């Protein structure tokens, strides 16, 4: 293995591969432009798949051929080429994933040909950075670990009742007040996290530069970032910073425990919409991706019922009840987001038939089938298969305290993304699925990695391969050597046992 020959469009994939090789093997790895020579003995060649090739691959597909004379990867898009590179790394000894030079002498790859492409184009992972704060470096490490498993969407849950985590220049109190709660909360030991200030308050917030760095990292990994700004509910941290945006306008503080809280934006106050549109515009100026998630889940309507401004709004807009007011609210936000050329995503409860067909549904407690039938695109993340905050063992005493439930790796692996009995005509609107990590009881990256790995490996396969290609026994066997890769990558996974 002396070097990489690549066509121009695969410069990024070549750089990615060379960096991994240099870092762990210490071998100087040169990159050459192809100049038309695409079969150089002893080299790793990254080539375009001939356009006329039979059985053209999708944009994320690739062919990897390993022969005694050399290695050749072909794809018709840089996303596919990066997957080829990731697979090649997986075929090398596990030390290739280390970020320090290994003492290993030889670096062999078994011969063979792999032709591969994903079944679903949305293979996501959500990290809740609101309940507990993860530094930009920690979030970046999680993104890279997910991308290693060919996860291509990274959803950042940036705001919630317990904290606001993105600097908004137009509203500085979000970072100053909304990002900090009185203590770690959730009845956790303060020593379980490092995100404290001298006065014992807990929190943190990403600056614009830190977000830009995450955006750069995501681009390098060919991963789309999805920012989520929660509305109209899960807004207690925002309202602590700007109380006049709540019904009643009373001063409050970010929450310090789990639950569904009454802190929701006032739907009768025009300033709410000025605020949210300004925030969203700033978020869109930082995140280049197509999708903007606005939450929409778990909105207790009591405050709206008691609020003269919300009631006046309902009357003026001829809205029958508070549910209709929520639909009106999200319709208005949707128009703003779509006018900027982006697409809105909501959770199950935020979904309403009056929303535009450009809006996507993220199904955690239902609605995916109906939305797909009605013409919306859908991402599936049912609690039963995709909630990585659940216990991994029935023997809770042996596990770190979790939110509850039980999600063994087998159940993640069995995840069948397509809702049952969905007519063929609507299947294409199910874009894929994702795993969600809510972090109420997860105050550190080490614990987050423990909850995510190796369940993420099972999720990655469930989203990539068709049901007929999956077999849990085979997965378990392949997982053993894969754990060595996780270890080399410095990921603190949970050793599968009971
Ligand atoms: C429900 S999933 C929530 C979150 C919680 C999670 C805990 C969703 C849209 N909302 O606010 O953190 O359950 O599992």
């Amino acid at each position: 293995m002396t070097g990489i020959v690549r066509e121009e469009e695969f410069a990024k994939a070549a750089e990615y591969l060379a960096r991994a090789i240099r870092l762990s093997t210490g071998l100087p790895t040169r990159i050459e432009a192809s100049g038309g020579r695409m079969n150089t003995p002893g080299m790793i060649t990254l080539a375009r798949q001939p356009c006329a090739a039979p059985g053209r691959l999708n944009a994320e597909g690739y062919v990897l051929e390993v022969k005694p004379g050399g290695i050749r990867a072909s794809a018709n898009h840089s996303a596919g080429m990066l997957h080829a590179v990731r697979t090649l790394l997986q075929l090398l000894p596990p030390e290739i994933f280390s970020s320090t030079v290994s003492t290993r002498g030889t670096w062999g790859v078994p011969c063979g040909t792999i032709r591969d492409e994903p079944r679903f184009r949305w293979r996501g992972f959500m990290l809740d950075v609101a309940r507990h704060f993860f530094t930009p470096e920690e979030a970046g490490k999680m993104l890279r670990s997910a991308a290693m498993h060919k996860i291509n969407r990274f959803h950042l849950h940036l705001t919630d009742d317990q904290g606001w985590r993105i600097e908004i220049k137009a509203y500085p109190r979000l970072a100053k007040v909304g990002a900090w709660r009185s203590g770690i909360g959730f009845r956790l030991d303060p020593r379980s996290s490092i995100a404290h200030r001298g006065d014992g308050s807990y929190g943190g917030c990403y600056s614009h530069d830190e977000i830009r760095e995450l955006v750069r990292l995501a681009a390098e990994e060919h991963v789309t970032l999805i920012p989520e700004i929660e509305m109209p509910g899960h807004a207690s941290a925002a309202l602590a910073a700007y109380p006049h945006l709540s019904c009643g306008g009373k001063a409050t503080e970010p929450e310090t425990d789990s639950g569904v809280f009454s802190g929701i934006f006032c739907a009768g106050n025009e300033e709410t919409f000025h605020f949210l549109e300004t925030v969203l515009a700033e978020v869109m100026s930082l995140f280049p991706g197509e999708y903007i998630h606005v939450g929409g889940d778990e909105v207790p309507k009591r405050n709206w019922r008691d609020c003269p401004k919300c009631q006046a709004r309902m009357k003026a807009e001829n809205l029958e009840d508070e549910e209709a007011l929520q639909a009106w609210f999200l319709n208005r936000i949707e128009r703003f987001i779509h006018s900027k050329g982006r697409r809105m995503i909501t959770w199950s409860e935020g979904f309403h038939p009056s929303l535009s067909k450009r809006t996507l549904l993220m199904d955690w407690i239902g609605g995916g089938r109906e939305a797909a039938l009605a013409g919306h695109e859908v991402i599936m993340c049912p609690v039963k298969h995709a909630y990585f905050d659940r216990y991994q063992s029935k023997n809770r005493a042996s596990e770190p305290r979790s939110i509850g439930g039980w999600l063994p790796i087998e159940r993640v692996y069995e995840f069948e993304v397509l809702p049952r009995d969905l007519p063929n005509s609507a299947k294409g609107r199910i874009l894929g699925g994702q795993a969600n990590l809510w972090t109420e009881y997860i105050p550190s990256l080490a614990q987050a990695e423990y909850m995510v790995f190796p369940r993420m490996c099972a999720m990655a396969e469930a989203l990539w391969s068709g049901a007929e290609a999956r077999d849990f026994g085979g997965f378990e066997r392949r997982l053993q050597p894969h754990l060595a890769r996780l270890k080399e990558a410095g990921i603190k996974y949970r050793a599968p046992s009971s």
Side-chain angles (χ1 to χ4, degrees):
M1 195 162 49
T2 52
I4 302 167
V5 182
R6 53 103 180 125
E7 284 181 284
E8 186 51 39
E9 65 198 273
F10 302 130
K12 199 165 107 176
E15 216 20 83
Y16 187 100
L17 176 58
R19 204 178 327 115
I21 295 173
R22 284 183 203 126
L23 214 58
S24 53
T25 69
L27 297 169
T29 308
R30 61 177 206 279
I31 302 176
E32 293 174 13
S34 70
R37 301 165 299 121
M38 292 315 295
N39 275 314
T40 317
M43 302 282 272
I44 304 171
T45 304
L46 310 187
R48 200 172 308 118
Q49 200 203 15
C51 285
R56 199 171 156 77
L57 297 158
N58 67 33
E60 290 191 279
Y62 64 90
V63 178
L64 183 64
E65 296 158 280
V66 181
K67 295 183 180 157
I71 296 173
R72 183 187 170 89
S74 43
N76 49 48
H77 192 277
S78 52
M81 188 55 81
L82 208 50
H83 291 323
V85 164
R86 293 187 177 113
T87 297
L88 175 58
L89 293 175
Q90 227 168 294
L91 293 172
L92 278 152
E95 292 89 342
I96 199 78
F97 288 99
S98 167
S99 47
T100 54
V101 175
S102 151
T103 53
R104 195 184 176 95
T106 55
W107 297 85
V109 184
C111 286
T113 298
I114 295 173
R115 186 197 152 90
D116 199 13
E117 63 184 346
R119 178 176 176 207
F120 292 105
R121 66 192 142 114
W122 188 294
R123 302 181 307 282
F125 175 70
M126 188 212 76
L127 180 64
D128 169 11
V129 295
R131 270 54 177 271
H132 280 98
F133 180 67
F134 294 86
T135 66
E137 293 72 28
E138 290 173 331
K141 184 184 179 204
M142 193 58 103
L143 186 152
R144 249 184 278 114
S145 306
M148 169 184 169
H149 295 81
K150 303 191 178 85
I151 294 295
N152 66 354
R153 307 276 187 256
F154 195 77
H155 168 176
L156 277 172
H157 183 75
L158 289 166
T159 72
D160 214 302
D161 296 302
Q162 298 86 351
W164 182 283
R165 307 280 175 236
I166 177 171
E167 174 194 21
I168 299 293
K169 301 241 190 238
Y171 290 99
R173 283 176 59 81
L174 291 169
K176 261 193 219 115
V177 177
W180 299 93
R181 59 181 184 251
S182 58
I184 190 166
F186 300 98
R187 285 158 284 142
L188 288 167
D189 182 341
R191 286 168 304 185
S192 53
S193 171
I194 47 163
H196 295 279
R197 291 190 294 200
D199 62 358
S201 59
Y202 176 95
C205 197
Y206 302 142
S207 68
H208 279 201
D209 280 346
E210 288 168 337
I211 295 282
R212 283 191 200 102
E213 176 55 20
L214 274 173
V215 168
R216 193 198 57 73
L217 178 70
E220 198 176 285
E221 293 282 354
H222 240 298
V223 167
T224 302
L225 284 174
I226 291 95
E228 180 183 353
I229 304 293
E230 275 266 22
M231 63 188 79
H234 286 280
S236 306
L239 300 176
Y242 294 99
H244 71 287
L245 302 176
S246 68
C247 302
K250 270 214 309 284
T252 50
E253 285 190 26
E255 299 293 343
T256 56
D257 209 341
S258 57
V260 176
F261 300 97
S262 59
I264 68 174
F265 288 109
C266 176
N269 183 353
E270 271 310 289
E271 284 190 51
T272 293
F273 295 93
H274 179 69
F275 170 86
L276 288 173
E277 292 183 3
T278 308
V279 166
L280 288 171
E282 231 178 276
V283 167
M284 288 188 248
S285 76
L286 291 167
F287 288 91
E290 189 181 1
Y291 309 101
I292 304 291
H293 203 309
V294 298
D297 58 311
E298 300 178 325
V299 186
K301 305 287 180 329
R302 197 182 52 237
N303 289 6
W304 284 358
R305 240 169 263 137
D306 298 341
C307 172
K309 284 188 200 157
C310 289
Q311 293 302 315
R313 173 83 76 193
M314 283 165 58
K315 212 159 165 217
E317 299 291 337
N318 218 351
L319 303 169
E320 200 171 292
D321 55 15
E322 286 73 19
E323 290 305 323
L325 182 58
Q326 171 164 311
W328 175 88
F329 191 115
L330 290 178
N331 262 302
R332 184 164 169 177
I333 294 295
E334 168 191 78
R335 276 197 299 280
F336 177 74
I337 292 174
H338 294 177
S339 77
K340 303 284 178 205
R342 309 295 180 99
R343 296 180 64 191
M344 186 169 94
I345 306 181
T346 83
W347 294 114
S348 296
E349 306 96 307
F351 194 75
H352 190 270
S354 66
L355 289 172
S356 141
K357 297 286 183 278
R358 269 180 72 76
T359 288
L360 297 92
L361 170 68
M362 203 170 257
D363 174 350
W364 73 288
I365 44 166
R369 185 177 181 279
E370 297 68 25
L373 282 172
H376 295 266
E377 290 187 329
V378 173
I379 300 117
M380 299 299 297
C381 42
V383 174
K384 186 174 173 206
H385 298 281
Y387 269 49
F388 286 5
D389 56 350
R390 295 338 199 222
Y391 279 100
Q392 302 185 69
S393 164
K394 276 197 164 162
N395 180 9
R396 290 190 176 186
S398 65
E399 295 295 313
R401 183 166 145 228
S402 299
I403 199 152
W406 178 54
L407 177 51
I409 192 165
E410 294 89 317
R411 181 111 60 68
V412 178
Y413 193 79
E414 285 158 11
F415 179 28
E416 186 37 65
V417 177
L418 293 179
R420 237 176 252 254
D421 306 324
L422 189 67
N424 279 338
S425 58
K427 284 185 177 154
R429 288 196 282 276
I430 306 291
L431 299 188
Q434 75 174 35
N436 296 333
L437 189 71
W438 300 100
T439 59
E440 284 94 335
Y441 299 97
I442 304 174
S444 68
L445 180 67
Q447 201 178 322
E449 289 182 341
Y450 180 92
M451 298 305 278
V452 171
F453 296 97
R455 288 190 289 196
M456 176 85 95
C457 313
M459 178 58 79
E461 199 161 305
L463 297 174
W464 185 281
S465 308
E468 65 298 335
R470 275 185 275 152
D471 136 52
F472 186 68
F475 170 76
E476 269 187 313
R477 272 192 304 282
R478 287 177 288 113
L479 186 58
Q480 283 313 313
H482 188 67
L483 294 177
R485 295 179 198 118
L486 298 183
K487 183 158 184 274
E488 292 293 339
I491 298 169
K492 299 201 172 43
Y493 62 89
R494 175 186 188 273
S497 52
S498 48

